[in-house]
Amino acid sequence: MPTNTVITDLKQVTIRFSGDSGDGMQLSGTLFSTLSAIFGNNISTFPDYPAEIRAPQGTLHGVSGFQVRIGSQGIYNSGDKADVLVAMNPAALKVNIDNLKKDSIVIYDSDSFESKDLEKALFITDDPFKELNLSTVQAIPVAITSLTKSSLQGMGMDNKEMIRSKNMFALGIVCWLFNRPLEIADQLLEQKFAKKPNLVQANIKALTDGYNYASNIHMTASTYRIETAENNKGFYTDVNGNLATVYGLIAAAEKSGLQLFLGSYPITPATDILHELSKRKDFGVKALQMEDEIAGISTAIGASFAGALAVTSTSGPGLALKSEALNLAVMTELPLVVIDVQRAGPSTGMPTKSEQTDLNQALYGRSGESPIVVIAATSPTNCFDSAYWASKIALEHMTPVVLLTDGYIANGSAAWKIPDMDEYPDIKPNYVQVNYKGAPEEWSPYFRDEESMVRYWAVPGTPKYMHRIGGLEKDANTGILSTDPDNHQFMVDSRKEKIDRIANDLPLLEVLGDKDADTLIVGWGGTYGHLLEAMMKIRGEGKKIAFAHFNFISPLPANTEEVLRRYKKIVVAEQNLGQFAAYLKSIYDGLDIFKFNRVKGQPFIVSRLVEEFIKIIDK
């Protein structure tokens, strides 16, 4: 296909597709991201869904966006602002005004910028670019809707069906702009709509015609080529956080030799975990959609008692509903993985937006002294390792583990090298027949390994190890019901000590940046990419700074206190009102902690982080 003769090389670029929730922006963005990953670029994506299921067409509340950042290096997050915006209507332009760089390119569907469209988006003039003071952007009008209809004439489709393919026409324009090969995009469409050949043909036709239209009119003075990444050899795919979580759970089940069981109830943005695991009967996965959150975790506890790797998945308000049953898993000391894909709260809050506001609930949201393990994934690809670690710890230490992800990394994607599972540690549950050295008749269900304090696991049906457990306190020696004060103190201490000793098996906390810095940036979970880039930009301005990010929260890595006490100033940045900062202060006295907190349902803005952190450094 013809291309512009002027090609400008770029190290990275950020593109945002935006339109109504029915305009197919998520599909266009996903295809372009996958195409770029296959082409050799590093990618980071941010699908930004509207909170309303279907707001009135053309209104501000119904705008759906998909942002992707691609490049050869330094792609740690989906980017602050876009170099290119595809706006399918005036509402998409208005909503994204703060997401545009000064000299960005705006490709917009001129067919959807009529007076009635401007009115729906609450414009008061007939010139939206002037009204929004966008004098520096390169605005490129394209009659995307009418050109798509012309492209698909004669294919036996009605008007509504033809308009549905306008996202592919827009994608074709972007593929021309960034020299993406359409042959691979065609293959992706064939895979996506394999059962609908007419839809495949229509989408490929619209995609190709969009590409050719941009090429024939030389839409911009230059097209762009993004440098490819120099990655280690191996097999790569693009993966979002929820899918990586699923793969991590399956890998842990295979490594441990156990059947994987998921008991769950659909809730945004965690539902994809249930969807994906329900497809994996080839790995013997049992995935049940239950009638509510309580039933979901209760079935998982039953499966754990029966000897499975048991998992339940949810988001914020669902974790609250699971708290009583989670307490039962603590008391019975059964392995259980609880995945909480955090979203904006409280209550049902903003279901499609992302926050880090469930930390306190994960740490403390149960009755009594109820310690558990809490892990936080740091990126879409890290969700695999985090799910594997959560499963390993749960099985080997006979404890519930809460794995915190969030909407940003669960829905966002990145290029992922498929791992060699031989490089991952074995998973060895503390089975009574394998590890308990006494006689069976002397065994009791709350006998523990002296080094780890983990009770021995006797899966029902194990010969000579009949037992019962439950929610009431038991005698440490006999396993029968007990209200003895000293026994209760011992059991409370034992359950806590078991969790504390897990720190001995965790990786040490790593510090990046300047070893002789006075200021340390601290983060946890899905903000890793933004904080890492902020640290690098600050160092680029000649200021010394260090950075430590936490995967493991309860217990903390064994060297945490030693690391924190090296620094005069500690900046804890999180998407809540200071939950992790308060947690650290409650454990380590005398730390000089500064807090940076944003609770907007949107990712951090790196430029804002840099500005605020430098102020703290210079104090």
Side-chain angles (χ1 to χ4, degrees):
M1 293 181 182
T3 61
N4 206 322
T5 55
V6 179
I7 300 177
T8 303
D9 288 321
L10 299 174
K11 290 186 177 180
Q12 58 178 250
V13 69
T14 301
I15 305 160
R16 191 172 181 93
F17 298 84
S18 190
D20 269 322
S21 57
D23 282 341
M25 296 295 93
Q26 305 299 325
L27 177 58
S28 294
T30 299
L31 286 173
F32 188 80
S33 304
T34 304
L35 183 61
S36 298
I38 293 172
F39 202 57
N41 297 130
N42 286 331
I43 67 168
S44 179
T45 73
F46 171 44
D48 191 11
Y49 303 99
E52 291 80 0
I53 293 176
R54 194 62 187 264
Q57 190 174 15
T59 63
L60 301 175
H61 294 291
V63 174
S64 177
F66 188 103
Q67 186 158 305
V68 55
R69 189 183 189 188
I70 63 176
S72 58
Q73 56 186 353
I75 308 300
Y76 307 114
N77 56 69
S78 55
D80 283 359
K81 297 188 177 185
D83 299 284
V84 176
L85 171 68
V86 177
M88 302 300 281
N89 59 32
L93 177 65
K94 190 173 219 177
V95 166
N96 287 291
I97 183 173
D98 292 331
N99 298 322
L100 292 174
K101 292 181 180 177
K102 182 179 179 182
D103 299 316
S104 58
I105 295 172
V106 178
I107 301 168
Y108 66 99
D109 182 6
S110 56
D111 290 329
S112 299
F113 273 65
E114 303 292 337
S115 296
K116 65 181 187 303
D117 305 304
L118 295 169
E119 184 178 343
K120 286 181 183 178
L122 305 181
F123 282 99
I124 60 176
T125 69
D126 60 359
D127 189 343
F129 288 88
K130 184 177 181 180
E131 187 173 330
L132 295 174
N133 196 28
L134 294 175
S135 58
T136 62
V137 304
Q138 182 182 349
I140 303 177
V142 180
I144 294 176
T145 299
S146 56
L147 286 169
T148 302
K149 290 164 66 175
S150 298
S151 169
L152 301 181
Q153 287 292 335
M155 296 192 70
M157 304 172 72
D158 62 30
N159 189 62
K160 187 175 182 180
E161 289 173 327
M162 288 190 288
I163 291 176
R164 283 178 182 167
S165 294
K166 65 181 181 179
N167 62 325
M168 290 297 106
F169 193 95
L171 177 60
I173 294 172
V174 177
C175 285
W176 171 82
L177 189 62
F178 292 99
N179 288 280
R180 306 284 93 163
L182 290 193
E183 293 79 6
I184 299 175
D186 293 347
Q187 295 173 21
L188 294 174
L189 285 169
E190 290 171 355
Q191 295 171 10
K192 174 71 176 178
F193 301 109
K195 296 181 180 180
K196 299 178 180 179
N198 292 338
L199 194 55
V200 171
Q201 293 177 14
N203 280 331
I204 290 178
K205 180 73 163 55
L207 177 73
T208 304
D209 287 352
Y211 187 103
N212 289 336
Y213 171 82
S215 176
N216 291 337
I217 69 167
H218 293 276
M219 180 175 288
T220 58
S222 173
T223 60
Y224 302 93
R225 178 169 52 214
I226 311 301
E227 296 179 10
T228 56
E230 295 182 5
N231 290 319
N232 295 328
K233 291 183 178 179
F235 292 97
Y236 286 81
T237 184
D238 67 314
V239 65
N240 67 30
N242 277 338
L243 184 57
T245 299
V246 166
Y247 289 161
L249 295 171
I250 293 173
E254 291 288 301
K255 201 79 165 182
S256 64
L258 298 181
Q259 184 178 55
L260 177 59
F261 176 92
L262 175 77
S264 189
Y265 180 74
I267 183 170
T268 301
T271 306
D272 284 344
I273 295 172
L274 172 61
H275 289 167
E276 290 296 331
L277 281 176
S278 68
K279 301 174 185 177
R280 301 324 305 242
K281 295 181 177 63
D282 52 338
F283 284 100
V285 176
K286 292 277 197 304
L288 297 184
Q289 177 179 325
M290 304 308 297
E291 63 269 27
D292 56 35
E293 296 284 1
I294 300 171
I297 188 172
S298 296
T299 55
I301 292 172
S304 177
F305 180 73
L309 169 52
V311 183
T312 187
S313 56
T314 190
S315 188
L319 184 60
L321 288 169
K322 294 180 188 291
S323 62
E324 183 180 8
L326 182 53
N327 227 6
L328 175 61
V330 172
M331 193 61 154
T332 53
E333 299 188 55
L334 285 170
L336 176 69
V337 177
V338 181
I339 300 166
D340 176 24
V341 185
Q342 298 170 96
R343 71 187 202 185
S347 186
T348 44
M350 299 188 295
T352 61
K353 307 304 178 183
S354 181
E355 286 178 2
Q356 291 183 300
T357 45
D358 292 348
L359 180 59
N360 281 344
Q361 185 176 199
L363 288 168
Y364 309 119
R366 295 164 299 285
S367 64
E369 291 292 342
S370 187
I372 61 173
V373 176
V374 178
I375 296 175
T378 61
S379 69
T381 56
N382 179 253
C383 284
F384 177 90
D385 285 355
S386 295
Y388 188 89
W389 266 101
S391 303
K392 176 178 171 64
I393 291 172
L395 291 169
E396 294 185 344
H397 295 271
M398 296 294 286
T399 180
V401 177
V402 173
L403 170 56
L404 297 172
T405 68
D406 59 58
Y408 175 72
I409 61 173
N411 292 319
S413 61
W416 179 55
K417 182 182 178 183
I418 298 174
D420 180 356
M421 291 312 301
D422 289 337
E423 297 177 358
Y424 280 68
D426 291 334
I427 298 177
K428 299 178 180 178
N430 195 37
Y431 289 125
V432 64
Q433 280 186 312
V434 176
N435 295 331
Y436 174 63
K437 304 306 180 185
E441 60 270 17
E442 298 172 352
W443 175 80
S444 173
Y446 289 99
F447 277 13
R448 302 176 185 276
D449 178 270
E450 291 183 0
E451 182 177 348
S452 65
M453 296 296 288
V454 178
R455 82 171 184 89
Y456 297 101
W457 194 10
V459 175
T462 304
K464 300 181 181 181
Y465 289 98
M466 290 172 45
H467 66 286
R468 67 180 61 178
I469 53 178
L472 294 172
E473 187 67 281
K474 305 298 193 299
D475 186 276
N477 295 313
T478 66
I480 64 173
L481 299 182
S482 174
T483 58
D484 179 75
D486 292 336
N487 178 77
H488 182 53
Q489 181 73 58
F490 176 80
M491 292 295 276
V492 167
D493 291 340
S494 296
R495 287 188 287 265
K496 180 180 184 300
E497 183 65 21
K498 180 181 72 170
I499 301 301
D500 290 343
R501 293 189 185 186
I502 293 172
N504 298 326
D505 298 331
L506 301 180
L508 294 177
L509 181 64
E510 183 181 4
V511 180
L512 304 176
D514 297 300
K515 294 182 179 179
D516 57 345
D518 291 330
T519 303
L520 175 71
I521 299 171
V522 168
W524 65 275
T527 59
Y528 172 78
H530 294 82
L531 295 176
L532 176 63
E533 184 171 342
M535 182 269 289
M536 296 174 71
K537 287 183 177 296
I538 291 170
R539 294 184 73 205
E541 295 187 21
K543 296 184 180 293
K544 291 186 176 181
I545 196 161
F547 172 47
H549 204 81
F550 286 82
N551 268 116
F552 299 96
I553 293 176
S554 176
L556 293 163
N559 66 329
T560 298
E561 182 173 13
E562 181 270 324
V563 167
L564 296 179
R565 295 204 185 278
R566 289 184 213 159
Y567 300 92
K568 295 179 181 178
K569 300 174 185 176
I570 299 169
V571 187
V572 180
E574 45 188 330
Q575 292 177 315
N576 55 48
L577 294 181
Q579 295 179 24
F580 190 58
Y583 175 62
L584 291 176
K585 282 180 141 183
S586 73
I587 299 173
Y588 308 117
D589 293 331
L591 295 178
D592 189 8
I593 289 182
F594 296 81
K595 297 189 296 182
F596 180 88
N597 306 116
R598 291 293 182 273
V599 197
K600 296 186 174 183
Q602 294 290 321
F604 278 147
I605 297 173
V606 173
S607 59
R608 181 68 172 153
L609 293 172
V610 171
E611 179 184 343
E612 292 298 319
F613 293 167
I614 287 179
K615 288 180 183 178
I616 294 171
I617 293 172
D618 291 342
K619 279 187 178 180

PDB file of all heavy atoms in Angstrom, residues 459-476:
ATOM      1  N   VAL A 459      -6.090 -33.513  54.191  1.00  0.00           N
ATOM      2  CA  VAL A 459      -7.229 -33.440  53.287  1.00  0.00           C
ATOM      3  C   VAL A 459      -8.202 -34.562  53.650  1.00  0.00           C
ATOM      4  O   VAL A 459      -7.787 -35.704  53.875  1.00  0.00           O
ATOM      5  CB  VAL A 459      -6.765 -33.572  51.823  1.00  0.00           C
ATOM      6  CG1 VAL A 459      -7.954 -33.612  50.878  1.00  0.00           C
ATOM      7  CG2 VAL A 459      -5.819 -32.431  51.465  1.00  0.00           C
ATOM      8  N   PRO A 460      -9.493 -34.273  53.771  1.00  0.00           N
ATOM      9  CA  PRO A 460     -10.461 -35.318  54.107  1.00  0.00           C
ATOM     10  C   PRO A 460     -10.314 -36.546  53.209  1.00  0.00           C
ATOM     11  O   PRO A 460     -10.165 -36.416  51.989  1.00  0.00           O
ATOM     12  CB  PRO A 460     -11.808 -34.627  53.885  1.00  0.00           C
ATOM     13  CG  PRO A 460     -11.523 -33.195  54.157  1.00  0.00           C
ATOM     14  CD  PRO A 460     -10.136 -32.953  53.636  1.00  0.00           C
ATOM     15  N   GLY A 461     -10.304 -37.690  53.833  1.00  0.00           N
ATOM     16  CA  GLY A 461     -10.080 -38.940  53.114  1.00  0.00           C
ATOM     17  C   GLY A 461      -8.683 -39.476  53.302  1.00  0.00           C
ATOM     18  O   GLY A 461      -8.395 -40.610  52.912  1.00  0.00           O
ATOM     19  N   THR A 462      -7.798 -38.677  53.909  1.00  0.00           N
ATOM     20  CA  THR A 462      -6.458 -39.165  54.211  1.00  0.00           C
ATOM     21  C   THR A 462      -6.557 -40.216  55.314  1.00  0.00           C
ATOM     22  O   THR A 462      -7.051 -39.920  56.405  1.00  0.00           O
ATOM     23  CB  THR A 462      -5.542 -38.012  54.687  1.00  0.00           C
ATOM     24  OG1 THR A 462      -5.537 -36.977  53.685  1.00  0.00           O
ATOM     25  CG2 THR A 462      -4.121 -38.515  54.888  1.00  0.00           C
ATOM     26  N   PRO A 463      -6.119 -41.441  55.041  1.00  0.00           N
ATOM     27  CA  PRO A 463      -6.265 -42.522  56.038  1.00  0.00           C
ATOM     28  C   PRO A 463      -5.623 -42.148  57.380  1.00  0.00           C
ATOM     29  O   PRO A 463      -4.532 -41.579  57.424  1.00  0.00           O
ATOM     30  CB  PRO A 463      -5.540 -43.698  55.386  1.00  0.00           C
ATOM     31  CG  PRO A 463      -5.584 -43.412  53.921  1.00  0.00           C
ATOM     32  CD  PRO A 463      -5.496 -41.926  53.803  1.00  0.00           C
ATOM     33  N   LYS A 464      -6.342 -42.425  58.469  1.00  0.00           N
ATOM     34  CA  LYS A 464      -5.889 -42.291  59.857  1.00  0.00           C
ATOM     35  C   LYS A 464      -5.813 -40.839  60.337  1.00  0.00           C
ATOM     36  O   LYS A 464      -5.328 -40.583  61.432  1.00  0.00           O
ATOM     37  CB  LYS A 464      -4.515 -42.952  60.058  1.00  0.00           C
ATOM     38  CG  LYS A 464      -4.490 -44.435  59.737  1.00  0.00           C
ATOM     39  CD  LYS A 464      -3.111 -45.019  59.986  1.00  0.00           C
ATOM     40  CE  LYS A 464      -3.089 -46.508  59.631  1.00  0.00           C
ATOM     41  NZ  LYS A 464      -1.747 -47.108  59.881  1.00  0.00           N
ATOM     42  N   TYR A 465      -6.310 -39.895  59.514  1.00  0.00           N
ATOM     43  CA  TYR A 465      -6.221 -38.494  59.938  1.00  0.00           C
ATOM     44  C   TYR A 465      -7.604 -37.826  59.912  1.00  0.00           C
ATOM     45  O   TYR A 465      -7.776 -36.719  59.429  1.00  0.00           O
ATOM     46  CB  TYR A 465      -5.244 -37.728  59.048  1.00  0.00           C
ATOM     47  CG  TYR A 465      -3.807 -38.115  59.285  1.00  0.00           C
ATOM     48  CD1 TYR A 465      -3.162 -39.043  58.462  1.00  0.00           C
ATOM     49  CD2 TYR A 465      -3.087 -37.580  60.352  1.00  0.00           C
ATOM     50  CE1 TYR A 465      -1.854 -39.411  58.690  1.00  0.00           C
ATOM     51  CE2 TYR A 465      -1.775 -37.940  60.576  1.00  0.00           C
ATOM     52  CZ  TYR A 465      -1.166 -38.857  59.747  1.00  0.00           C
ATOM     53  OH  TYR A 465       0.139 -39.221  59.983  1.00  0.00           O
ATOM     54  N   MET A 466      -8.581 -38.510  60.467  1.00  0.00           N
ATOM     55  CA  MET A 466      -9.908 -37.909  60.584  1.00  0.00           C
ATOM     56  C   MET A 466      -9.861 -36.728  61.554  1.00  0.00           C
ATOM     57  O   MET A 466      -9.158 -36.770  62.559  1.00  0.00           O
ATOM     58  CB  MET A 466     -10.914 -38.950  61.090  1.00  0.00           C
ATOM     59  CG  MET A 466     -11.227 -40.025  60.052  1.00  0.00           C
ATOM     60  SD  MET A 466     -12.223 -41.367  60.696  1.00  0.00           S
ATOM     61  CE  MET A 466     -13.462 -40.495  61.606  1.00  0.00           C
ATOM     62  N   HIS A 467     -10.625 -35.679  61.251  1.00  0.00           N
ATOM     63  CA  HIS A 467     -10.607 -34.508  62.110  1.00  0.00           C
ATOM     64  C   HIS A 467     -11.793 -33.634  61.798  1.00  0.00           C
ATOM     65  O   HIS A 467     -12.498 -33.839  60.808  1.00  0.00           O
ATOM     66  CB  HIS A 467      -9.324 -33.699  61.876  1.00  0.00           C
ATOM     67  CG  HIS A 467      -9.243 -33.079  60.507  1.00  0.00           C
ATOM     68  ND1 HIS A 467      -8.988 -33.817  59.375  1.00  0.00           N
ATOM     69  CD2 HIS A 467      -9.402 -31.783  60.090  1.00  0.00           C
ATOM     70  CE1 HIS A 467      -8.969 -33.025  58.317  1.00  0.00           C
ATOM     71  NE2 HIS A 467      -9.229 -31.780  58.728  1.00  0.00           N
ATOM     72  N   ARG A 468     -12.024 -32.639  62.642  1.00  0.00           N
ATOM     73  CA  ARG A 468     -13.013 -31.618  62.347  1.00  0.00           C
ATOM     74  C   ARG A 468     -12.445 -30.253  62.719  1.00  0.00           C
ATOM     75  O   ARG A 468     -11.660 -30.123  63.652  1.00  0.00           O
ATOM     76  CB  ARG A 468     -14.326 -31.876  63.085  1.00  0.00           C
ATOM     77  CG  ARG A 468     -14.247 -31.742  64.582  1.00  0.00           C
ATOM     78  CD  ARG A 468     -15.601 -32.010  65.231  1.00  0.00           C
ATOM     79  NE  ARG A 468     -16.070 -33.350  64.975  1.00  0.00           N
ATOM     80  CZ  ARG A 468     -17.214 -33.851  65.456  1.00  0.00           C
ATOM     81  NH1 ARG A 468     -17.989 -33.110  66.227  1.00  0.00           N
ATOM     82  NH2 ARG A 468     -17.578 -35.082  65.180  1.00  0.00           N
ATOM     83  N   ILE A 469     -12.820 -29.254  61.933  1.00  0.00           N
ATOM     84  CA  ILE A 469     -12.423 -27.876  62.211  1.00  0.00           C
ATOM     85  C   ILE A 469     -13.670 -27.011  62.082  1.00  0.00           C
ATOM     86  O   ILE A 469     -14.705 -27.463  61.596  1.00  0.00           O
ATOM     87  CB  ILE A 469     -11.319 -27.380  61.249  1.00  0.00           C
ATOM     88  CG1 ILE A 469     -11.739 -27.586  59.791  1.00  0.00           C
ATOM     89  CG2 ILE A 469     -10.001 -28.077  61.524  1.00  0.00           C
ATOM     90  CD1 ILE A 469     -10.737 -27.073  58.775  1.00  0.00           C
ATOM     91  N   GLY A 470     -13.590 -25.752  62.486  1.00  0.00           N
ATOM     92  CA  GLY A 470     -14.754 -24.877  62.390  1.00  0.00           C
ATOM     93  C   GLY A 470     -14.448 -23.488  62.896  1.00  0.00           C
ATOM     94  O   GLY A 470     -13.300 -23.140  63.175  1.00  0.00           O
ATOM     95  N   GLY A 471     -15.498 -22.684  63.060  1.00  0.00           N
ATOM     96  CA  GLY A 471     -15.328 -21.289  63.412  1.00  0.00           C
ATOM     97  C   GLY A 471     -15.129 -21.025  64.887  1.00  0.00           C
ATOM     98  O   GLY A 471     -14.759 -19.911  65.265  1.00  0.00           O
ATOM     99  N   LEU A 472     -15.370 -22.026  65.745  1.00  0.00           N
ATOM    100  CA  LEU A 472     -15.138 -21.849  67.176  1.00  0.00           C
ATOM    101  C   LEU A 472     -13.682 -22.144  67.526  1.00  0.00           C
ATOM    102  O   LEU A 472     -13.026 -22.939  66.861  1.00  0.00           O
ATOM    103  CB  LEU A 472     -16.066 -22.770  67.969  1.00  0.00           C
ATOM    104  CG  LEU A 472     -17.564 -22.442  67.865  1.00  0.00           C
ATOM    105  CD1 LEU A 472     -18.390 -23.535  68.526  1.00  0.00           C
ATOM    106  CD2 LEU A 472     -17.876 -21.090  68.469  1.00  0.00           C
ATOM    107  N   GLU A 473     -13.205 -21.491  68.570  1.00  0.00           N
ATOM    108  CA  GLU A 473     -11.828 -21.700  68.992  1.00  0.00           C
ATOM    109  C   GLU A 473     -11.614 -23.146  69.421  1.00  0.00           C
ATOM    110  O   GLU A 473     -12.486 -23.771  70.032  1.00  0.00           O
ATOM    111  CB  GLU A 473     -11.480 -20.758  70.149  1.00  0.00           C
ATOM    112  CG  GLU A 473     -10.011 -20.785  70.546  1.00  0.00           C
ATOM    113  CD  GLU A 473      -9.091 -20.224  69.479  1.00  0.00           C
ATOM    114  OE1 GLU A 473      -8.808 -20.966  68.509  1.00  0.00           O
ATOM    115  OE2 GLU A 473      -8.673 -19.059  69.593  1.00  0.00           O
ATOM    116  N   LYS A 474     -10.444 -23.697  69.086  1.00  0.00           N
ATOM    117  CA  LYS A 474     -10.121 -25.095  69.396  1.00  0.00           C
ATOM    118  C   LYS A 474      -8.906 -25.158  70.311  1.00  0.00           C
ATOM    119  O   LYS A 474      -8.059 -24.252  70.329  1.00  0.00           O
ATOM    120  CB  LYS A 474      -9.814 -25.866  68.098  1.00  0.00           C
ATOM    121  CG  LYS A 474     -10.913 -25.812  67.046  1.00  0.00           C
ATOM    122  CD  LYS A 474     -12.203 -26.439  67.532  1.00  0.00           C
ATOM    123  CE  LYS A 474     -13.181 -26.653  66.374  1.00  0.00           C
ATOM    124  NZ  LYS A 474     -13.568 -25.406  65.711  1.00  0.00           N
ATOM    125  N   ASP A 475      -8.815 -26.254  71.009  1.00  0.00           N
ATOM    126  CA  ASP A 475      -7.652 -26.515  71.848  1.00  0.00           C
ATOM    127  C   ASP A 475      -6.459 -26.840  70.958  1.00  0.00           C
ATOM    128  O   ASP A 475      -6.568 -27.656  70.027  1.00  0.00           O
ATOM    129  CB  ASP A 475      -7.931 -27.665  72.811  1.00  0.00           C
ATOM    130  CG  ASP A 475      -6.797 -27.868  73.796  1.00  0.00           C
ATOM    131  OD1 ASP A 475      -5.830 -28.569  73.421  1.00  0.00           O
ATOM    132  OD2 ASP A 475      -6.883 -27.340  74.920  1.00  0.00           O
ATOM    133  N   ALA A 476      -5.333 -26.231  71.240  1.00  0.00           N
ATOM    134  CA  ALA A 476      -4.152 -26.410  70.391  1.00  0.00           C
ATOM    135  C   ALA A 476      -3.673 -27.849  70.374  1.00  0.00           C
ATOM    136  O   ALA A 476      -3.082 -28.293  69.379  1.00  0.00           O
ATOM    137  CB  ALA A 476      -3.032 -25.493  70.865  1.00  0.00           C
TER     138      ALA A 476
END
